[in-house]
Amino acid sequence: MPKDKAGGGHEMQETIPIHSSRIPGFYKMTVEARLEALTSAAALTMEDACLLGGTQGTSLSVEVADRMVENCVGVFGLPIGIGVNLLVNGMDRLVPMAVEEPSIIAGFSHGAKLLRDGGGISTESTEPLMIGQIQVLDVPDLEAAMEAIEAFRHNLLADANSLDPALVRAGGGARDIELRVLEPTEPDDPLGAMLVLHLVVDVRDAMGANAINTMAEKLAPRIESLTGGRVRLRILSNLADKRLTTARGKVPFASLGQGDGPRGREVALGIQEASVLAERDPYRAATHNKGIMNGVDAFLVATGQDWRAVEAGAHSFAARKGRYTALARWRAHEDDEALEGEITLPMAVGTVGGVLKTHPSVQVAVRSLLKLQSASELASLAASVGLAQNLAALRALSTEGIQRGHMGLHARNVAAAAGARGDEVDALAKELARQGAYDAASAEALLAELRRSAPAAPSAMLRSA
């Protein structure tokens, strides 16, 4: 039996301070034990813990779901897990993540631990400015139209702000108007030059779609009158390139080492080489960025965000310079023996309105577990999750390969699909991983052997493997 440093005969248990994201052995615990540890670490109430854990069935009732979407017939469940080890701007954060794919939460937690060794992640965000677009066609004189809009800029902004006095009182509102002329780009383009007006709105702690769409609709007749053109689309843009969050962190070379495996410096250089490939090549960048969004999307789903909007904005932002490239970059610095990473993401998120008012689990995640005070705070966490997720993926790719860890975790799904129950799942998953066999036929054959050899104690054979 392991001994503590004092030489006692019991294993030392690390104390979990309140609000710490370090929960040693969290992945080894039962679901019930994890909820207890989480309740202690985040100071949750029993009601919050029950809602988050779904101990009384799904936290989203069919009655509430029916008010959220059309033609509702039920509720679809996703596993919700907790990413640990994250330190952002000097604060510990426990990260709720709703996702079905194995290895995402484990990968994030490992990446967060490595970045923690370098002092954690620091973030910065721009003002929460979103863009509403108004498309104007058949403009007889583009130059005169733009001059007319410029002359009435103050009136147009005042009209927009009159629609949302609450947003204005909160310090937000329509801030600016930008004009663009879009010429045909393809030989078969059927339209002539068009004018596109960007209404720039400070949305404060909201995602902003409803406010901006309402403002754009309101201004449309006035824009037609000023330009002599015909307004067609008037809607929010999901390329939120004025609402950016940047996360930075570093990992000491020593933390990247692998025992008898590659030294930390070698791993850092491998991560740098993988990063540069994604920066240069869109084929690699697509997968590089998908891995980033694995974690970001899981976090956004758990916190009730429009993850589809953020996803669209992220990929559009990755192509903003005319070619698709990596969202995160990594560089190995020999002078301070550290790997440094940085990511910038458009982050259209909110902590007011929407599903935050209706979904009980989302309310627990945002208010009780994360204790968020602003949308900027949520954005900082999302970008930090992306950076840690990317680090974990590149480290795996640069060392043992991505499949080893992923398939080891996937083995539990394979075991359950083969019909394993209770203790059989872990026992069968362990043997599948040991043999490197993850197909259904192998799983079914091993399960049958397991049950034949030890009918009274189904996991006995594999427990000793």
Side-chain angles (χ1 to χ4, degrees), residues 55-90:
T55 54
Q56 299 173 353
T58 177
S59 64
L60 179 63
S61 68
V62 173
E63 290 75 19
V64 173
D66 189 39
R67 296 194 293 272
M68 294 171 66
V69 300
E70 307 81 15
N71 303 340
C72 179
V73 296
V75 176
F76 178 82
L78 273 178
I80 184 165
I82 301 296
V84 296
N85 302 321
L86 186 63
L87 184 66
V88 179
N89 298 327

mmCIF file of all heavy atoms in Angstrom, residues 55-90:
data_model
loop_
_atom_site.group_PDB
_atom_site.id
_atom_site.type_symbol
_atom_site.label_atom_id
_atom_site.label_comp_id
_atom_site.label_asym_id
_atom_site.label_seq_id
_atom_site.Cartn_x
_atom_site.Cartn_y
_atom_site.Cartn_z
ATOM 1 N N THR A 55 -30.179 13.646 -11.243
ATOM 2 C CA THR A 55 -30.530 12.537 -10.350
ATOM 3 C C THR A 55 -32.033 12.318 -10.244
ATOM 4 O O THR A 55 -32.472 11.291 -9.746
ATOM 5 C CB THR A 55 -29.958 12.791 -8.944
ATOM 6 O OG1 THR A 55 -30.386 14.077 -8.485
ATOM 7 C CG2 THR A 55 -28.436 12.764 -8.969
ATOM 8 N N GLN A 56 -32.802 13.290 -10.681
ATOM 9 C CA GLN A 56 -34.260 13.137 -10.688
ATOM 10 C C GLN A 56 -34.780 13.123 -12.125
ATOM 11 O O GLN A 56 -35.817 13.670 -12.448
ATOM 12 C CB GLN A 56 -34.908 14.278 -9.896
ATOM 13 C CG GLN A 56 -34.484 14.296 -8.440
ATOM 14 C CD GLN A 56 -34.994 15.512 -7.709
ATOM 15 O OE1 GLN A 56 -35.552 16.414 -8.301
ATOM 16 N NE2 GLN A 56 -34.816 15.533 -6.397
ATOM 17 N N GLY A 57 -34.015 12.459 -12.978
ATOM 18 C CA GLY A 57 -34.362 12.452 -14.399
ATOM 19 C C GLY A 57 -33.741 13.647 -15.087
ATOM 20 O O GLY A 57 -32.975 14.398 -14.502
ATOM 21 N N THR A 58 -34.028 13.816 -16.345
ATOM 22 C CA THR A 58 -33.450 14.940 -17.071
ATOM 23 C C THR A 58 -33.857 16.270 -16.457
ATOM 24 O O THR A 58 -34.995 16.446 -16.017
ATOM 25 C CB THR A 58 -33.866 14.910 -18.556
ATOM 26 O OG1 THR A 58 -33.328 16.070 -19.194
ATOM 27 C CG2 THR A 58 -35.366 14.928 -18.710
ATOM 28 N N SER A 59 -32.926 17.207 -16.430
ATOM 29 C CA SER A 59 -33.232 18.507 -15.832
ATOM 30 C C SER A 59 -34.109 19.359 -16.736
ATOM 31 O O SER A 59 -34.671 20.348 -16.304
ATOM 32 C CB SER A 59 -31.930 19.253 -15.516
ATOM 33 O OG SER A 59 -31.231 19.529 -16.714
ATOM 34 N N LEU A 60 -34.194 18.973 -18.007
ATOM 35 C CA LEU A 60 -35.060 19.702 -18.941
ATOM 36 C C LEU A 60 -36.317 18.874 -19.166
ATOM 37 O O LEU A 60 -36.279 17.806 -19.770
ATOM 38 C CB LEU A 60 -34.334 19.930 -20.271
ATOM 39 C CG LEU A 60 -35.137 20.668 -21.346
ATOM 40 C CD1 LEU A 60 -35.469 22.079 -20.890
ATOM 41 C CD2 LEU A 60 -34.369 20.687 -22.667
ATOM 42 N N SER A 61 -37.438 19.372 -18.678
ATOM 43 C CA SER A 61 -38.692 18.645 -18.823
ATOM 44 C C SER A 61 -39.247 18.810 -20.231
ATOM 45 O O SER A 61 -38.923 19.762 -20.945
ATOM 46 C CB SER A 61 -39.717 19.155 -17.814
ATOM 47 O OG SER A 61 -40.096 20.487 -18.135
ATOM 48 N N VAL A 62 -40.102 17.889 -20.620
ATOM 49 C CA VAL A 62 -40.744 17.971 -21.930
ATOM 50 C C VAL A 62 -41.606 19.221 -22.012
ATOM 51 O O VAL A 62 -41.714 19.862 -23.069
ATOM 52 C CB VAL A 62 -41.585 16.710 -22.201
ATOM 53 C CG1 VAL A 62 -42.387 16.864 -23.486
ATOM 54 C CG2 VAL A 62 -40.692 15.485 -22.285
ATOM 55 N N GLU A 63 -42.224 19.600 -20.888
ATOM 56 C CA GLU A 63 -43.079 20.790 -20.871
ATOM 57 C C GLU A 63 -42.271 22.041 -21.206
ATOM 58 O O GLU A 63 -42.716 22.886 -21.997
ATOM 59 C CB GLU A 63 -43.734 20.952 -19.497
ATOM 60 C CG GLU A 63 -44.791 19.909 -19.180
ATOM 61 C CD GLU A 63 -44.200 18.548 -18.835
ATOM 62 O OE1 GLU A 63 -42.999 18.479 -18.492
ATOM 63 O OE2 GLU A 63 -44.939 17.549 -18.932
ATOM 64 N N VAL A 64 -41.076 22.167 -20.608
ATOM 65 C CA VAL A 64 -40.225 23.319 -20.907
ATOM 66 C C VAL A 64 -39.697 23.226 -22.333
ATOM 67 O O VAL A 64 -39.674 24.215 -23.071
ATOM 68 C CB VAL A 64 -39.056 23.402 -19.900
ATOM 69 C CG1 VAL A 64 -38.070 24.491 -20.318
ATOM 70 C CG2 VAL A 64 -39.583 23.690 -18.501
ATOM 71 N N ALA A 65 -39.293 22.018 -22.733
ATOM 72 C CA ALA A 65 -38.773 21.833 -24.088
ATOM 73 C C ALA A 65 -39.796 22.220 -25.140
ATOM 74 O O ALA A 65 -39.455 22.789 -26.183
ATOM 75 C CB ALA A 65 -38.332 20.378 -24.283
ATOM 76 N N ASP A 66 -41.064 21.929 -24.884
ATOM 77 C CA ASP A 66 -42.129 22.241 -25.826
ATOM 78 C C ASP A 66 -42.271 23.743 -26.045
ATOM 79 O O ASP A 66 -42.725 24.196 -27.095
ATOM 80 C CB ASP A 66 -43.448 21.636 -25.333
ATOM 81 C CG ASP A 66 -44.549 21.737 -26.371
ATOM 82 O OD1 ASP A 66 -44.243 21.543 -27.566
ATOM 83 O OD2 ASP A 66 -45.699 22.019 -25.996
ATOM 84 N N ARG A 67 -41.874 24.526 -25.025
ATOM 85 C CA ARG A 67 -41.928 25.980 -25.172
ATOM 86 C C ARG A 67 -40.676 26.535 -25.855
ATOM 87 O O ARG A 67 -40.648 27.701 -26.244
ATOM 88 C CB ARG A 67 -42.110 26.639 -23.801
ATOM 89 C CG ARG A 67 -43.438 26.296 -23.129
ATOM 90 C CD ARG A 67 -43.727 27.209 -21.957
ATOM 91 N NE ARG A 67 -42.801 27.020 -20.851
ATOM 92 C CZ ARG A 67 -42.971 26.140 -19.865
ATOM 93 N NH1 ARG A 67 -44.056 25.366 -19.863
ATOM 94 N NH2 ARG A 67 -42.099 26.048 -18.894
ATOM 95 N N MET A 68 -39.657 25.703 -25.970
ATOM 96 C CA MET A 68 -38.385 26.154 -26.547
ATOM 97 C C MET A 68 -38.326 25.962 -28.059
ATOM 98 O O MET A 68 -37.728 26.780 -28.767
ATOM 99 C CB MET A 68 -37.213 25.423 -25.882
ATOM 100 C CG MET A 68 -37.023 25.766 -24.417
ATOM 101 S SD MET A 68 -35.792 24.707 -23.598
ATOM 102 C CE MET A 68 -34.299 25.181 -24.439
ATOM 103 N N VAL A 69 -38.900 24.861 -28.559
ATOM 104 C CA VAL A 69 -38.807 24.567 -29.995
ATOM 105 C C VAL A 69 -40.164 24.145 -30.543
ATOM 106 O O VAL A 69 -41.083 23.804 -29.789
ATOM 107 C CB VAL A 69 -37.781 23.448 -30.292
ATOM 108 C CG1 VAL A 69 -36.386 23.846 -29.820
ATOM 109 C CG2 VAL A 69 -38.199 22.133 -29.645
ATOM 110 N N GLU A 70 -40.254 24.125 -31.861
ATOM 111 C CA GLU A 70 -41.489 23.742 -32.526
ATOM 112 C C GLU A 70 -41.571 22.215 -32.649
ATOM 113 O O GLU A 70 -40.558 21.524 -32.702
ATOM 114 C CB GLU A 70 -41.555 24.350 -33.936
ATOM 115 C CG GLU A 70 -41.334 25.845 -33.998
ATOM 116 C CD GLU A 70 -39.868 26.231 -33.949
ATOM 117 O OE1 GLU A 70 -39.009 25.359 -34.156
ATOM 118 O OE2 GLU A 70 -39.579 27.406 -33.669
ATOM 119 N N ASN A 71 -42.798 21.713 -32.696
ATOM 120 C CA ASN A 71 -43.036 20.285 -32.964
ATOM 121 C C ASN A 71 -42.308 19.364 -31.994
ATOM 122 O O ASN A 71 -41.847 18.287 -32.366
ATOM 123 C CB ASN A 71 -42.634 19.930 -34.401
ATOM 124 C CG ASN A 71 -43.347 20.768 -35.435
ATOM 125 O OD1 ASN A 71 -44.390 21.354 -35.151
ATOM 126 N ND2 ASN A 71 -42.795 20.845 -36.632
ATOM 127 N N CYS A 72 -42.163 19.789 -30.762
ATOM 128 C CA CYS A 72 -41.405 19.014 -29.774
ATOM 129 C C CYS A 72 -42.079 17.668 -29.502
ATOM 130 O O CYS A 72 -43.298 17.590 -29.340
ATOM 131 C CB CYS A 72 -41.288 19.803 -28.478
ATOM 132 S SG CYS A 72 -40.392 18.946 -27.171
ATOM 133 N N VAL A 73 -41.266 16.602 -29.452
ATOM 134 C CA VAL A 73 -41.781 15.273 -29.105
ATOM 135 C C VAL A 73 -41.017 14.647 -27.948
ATOM 136 O O VAL A 73 -41.343 13.547 -27.496
ATOM 137 C CB VAL A 73 -41.723 14.316 -30.320
ATOM 138 C CG1 VAL A 73 -42.640 14.808 -31.430
ATOM 139 C CG2 VAL A 73 -40.295 14.153 -30.827
ATOM 140 N N GLY A 74 -39.970 15.308 -27.464
ATOM 141 C CA GLY A 74 -39.198 14.743 -26.370
ATOM 142 C C GLY A 74 -37.945 15.555 -26.114
ATOM 143 O O GLY A 74 -37.791 16.677 -26.603
ATOM 144 N N VAL A 75 -37.027 14.966 -25.345
ATOM 145 C CA VAL A 75 -35.775 15.622 -24.970
ATOM 146 C C VAL A 75 -34.615 14.683 -25.296
ATOM 147 O O VAL A 75 -34.672 13.492 -24.971
ATOM 148 C CB VAL A 75 -35.750 15.969 -23.471
ATOM 149 C CG1 VAL A 75 -34.404 16.569 -23.079
ATOM 150 C CG2 VAL A 75 -36.870 16.938 -23.141
ATOM 151 N N PHE A 76 -33.591 15.198 -25.933
ATOM 152 C CA PHE A 76 -32.410 14.415 -26.292
ATOM 153 C C PHE A 76 -31.309 14.688 -25.280
ATOM 154 O O PHE A 76 -30.979 15.843 -25.007
ATOM 155 C CB PHE A 76 -31.935 14.804 -27.694
ATOM 156 C CG PHE A 76 -30.698 14.094 -28.149
ATOM 157 C CD1 PHE A 76 -30.776 12.821 -28.683
ATOM 158 C CD2 PHE A 76 -29.453 14.692 -28.054
ATOM 159 C CE1 PHE A 76 -29.629 12.152 -29.105
ATOM 160 C CE2 PHE A 76 -28.309 14.039 -28.475
ATOM 161 C CZ PHE A 76 -28.394 12.763 -29.003
ATOM 162 N N GLY A 77 -30.730 13.628 -24.735
ATOM 163 C CA GLY A 77 -29.706 13.797 -23.714
ATOM 164 C C GLY A 77 -28.292 13.748 -24.269
ATOM 165 O O GLY A 77 -28.009 13.061 -25.245
ATOM 166 N N LEU A 78 -27.393 14.517 -23.650
ATOM 167 C CA LEU A 78 -25.964 14.458 -23.923
ATOM 168 C C LEU A 78 -25.237 14.288 -22.596
ATOM 169 O O LEU A 78 -25.663 14.850 -21.585
ATOM 170 C CB LEU A 78 -25.475 15.756 -24.574
ATOM 171 C CG LEU A 78 -25.551 15.913 -26.087
ATOM 172 C CD1 LEU A 78 -25.060 17.306 -26.479
ATOM 173 C CD2 LEU A 78 -24.708 14.858 -26.792
ATOM 174 N N PRO A 79 -24.136 13.546 -22.593
ATOM 175 C CA PRO A 79 -23.343 13.494 -21.357
ATOM 176 C C PRO A 79 -22.807 14.881 -21.023
ATOM 177 O O PRO A 79 -22.400 15.625 -21.918
ATOM 178 C CB PRO A 79 -22.193 12.542 -21.721
ATOM 179 C CG PRO A 79 -22.655 11.789 -22.920
ATOM 180 C CD PRO A 79 -23.564 12.718 -23.664
ATOM 181 N N ILE A 80 -22.811 15.220 -19.748
ATOM 182 C CA ILE A 80 -22.168 16.464 -19.317
ATOM 183 C C ILE A 80 -21.066 16.098 -18.342
ATOM 184 O O ILE A 80 -21.278 15.355 -17.383
ATOM 185 C CB ILE A 80 -23.179 17.455 -18.690
ATOM 186 C CG1 ILE A 80 -22.473 18.769 -18.346
ATOM 187 C CG2 ILE A 80 -23.890 16.875 -17.489
ATOM 188 C CD1 ILE A 80 -23.423 19.918 -18.076
ATOM 189 N N GLY A 81 -19.866 16.554 -18.649
ATOM 190 C CA GLY A 81 -18.712 16.281 -17.806
ATOM 191 C C GLY A 81 -18.084 17.572 -17.342
ATOM 192 O O GLY A 81 -18.482 18.664 -17.768
ATOM 193 N N ILE A 82 -17.091 17.449 -16.494
ATOM 194 C CA ILE A 82 -16.413 18.618 -15.942
ATOM 195 C C ILE A 82 -14.941 18.574 -16.324
ATOM 196 O O ILE A 82 -14.228 17.617 -16.009
ATOM 197 C CB ILE A 82 -16.542 18.677 -14.408
ATOM 198 C CG1 ILE A 82 -18.013 18.735 -14.000
ATOM 199 C CG2 ILE A 82 -15.782 19.891 -13.856
ATOM 200 C CD1 ILE A 82 -18.753 19.974 -14.446
ATOM 201 N N GLY A 83 -14.498 19.608 -17.026
ATOM 202 C CA GLY A 83 -13.081 19.770 -17.302
ATOM 203 C C GLY A 83 -12.410 20.400 -16.091
ATOM 204 O O GLY A 83 -12.915 21.374 -15.529
ATOM 205 N N VAL A 84 -11.290 19.839 -15.698
ATOM 206 C CA VAL A 84 -10.604 20.309 -14.494
ATOM 207 C C VAL A 84 -9.253 20.942 -14.848
ATOM 208 O O VAL A 84 -8.829 20.926 -15.996
ATOM 209 C CB VAL A 84 -10.401 19.150 -13.495
ATOM 210 C CG1 VAL A 84 -11.754 18.627 -13.014
ATOM 211 C CG2 VAL A 84 -9.598 18.008 -14.116
ATOM 212 N N ASN A 85 -8.640 21.515 -13.838
ATOM 213 C CA ASN A 85 -7.267 22.054 -13.889
ATOM 214 C C ASN A 85 -7.138 23.437 -14.512
ATOM 215 O O ASN A 85 -6.026 23.968 -14.593
ATOM 216 C CB ASN A 85 -6.317 21.105 -14.652
ATOM 217 C CG ASN A 85 -6.267 19.730 -14.050
ATOM 218 O OD1 ASN A 85 -6.286 19.574 -12.833
ATOM 219 N ND2 ASN A 85 -6.215 18.707 -14.899
ATOM 220 N N LEU A 86 -8.223 24.054 -14.968
ATOM 221 C CA LEU A 86 -8.095 25.316 -15.689
ATOM 222 C C LEU A 86 -7.838 26.485 -14.743
ATOM 223 O O LEU A 86 -8.551 26.679 -13.755
ATOM 224 C CB LEU A 86 -9.367 25.590 -16.504
ATOM 225 C CG LEU A 86 -9.305 26.816 -17.423
ATOM 226 C CD1 LEU A 86 -8.234 26.647 -18.493
ATOM 227 C CD2 LEU A 86 -10.657 27.066 -18.078
ATOM 228 N N LEU A 87 -6.827 27.256 -15.081
ATOM 229 C CA LEU A 87 -6.490 28.485 -14.359
ATOM 230 C C LEU A 87 -6.476 29.617 -15.376
ATOM 231 O O LEU A 87 -5.638 29.636 -16.282
ATOM 232 C CB LEU A 87 -5.124 28.349 -13.682
ATOM 233 C CG LEU A 87 -4.652 29.521 -12.810
ATOM 234 C CD1 LEU A 87 -5.547 29.672 -11.586
ATOM 235 C CD2 LEU A 87 -3.200 29.319 -12.375
ATOM 236 N N VAL A 88 -7.412 30.565 -15.241
ATOM 237 C CA VAL A 88 -7.548 31.666 -16.202
ATOM 238 C C VAL A 88 -7.510 32.997 -15.471
ATOM 239 O O VAL A 88 -8.282 33.215 -14.526
ATOM 240 C CB VAL A 88 -8.874 31.557 -16.992
ATOM 241 C CG1 VAL A 88 -9.009 32.721 -17.967
ATOM 242 C CG2 VAL A 88 -8.943 30.244 -17.748
ATOM 243 N N ASN A 89 -6.610 33.850 -15.880
ATOM 244 C CA ASN A 89 -6.471 35.176 -15.261
ATOM 245 C C ASN A 89 -6.354 35.069 -13.746
ATOM 246 O O ASN A 89 -6.932 35.864 -12.997
ATOM 247 C CB ASN A 89 -7.660 36.068 -15.652
ATOM 248 C CG ASN A 89 -7.719 36.311 -17.145
ATOM 249 O OD1 ASN A 89 -6.698 36.375 -17.823
ATOM 250 N ND2 ASN A 89 -8.924 36.442 -17.678
ATOM 251 N N GLY A 90 -5.625 34.053 -13.305
ATOM 252 C CA GLY A 90 -5.370 33.863 -11.882
ATOM 253 C C GLY A 90 -6.486 33.198 -11.109
ATOM 254 O O GLY A 90 -6.381 33.054 -9.889
#
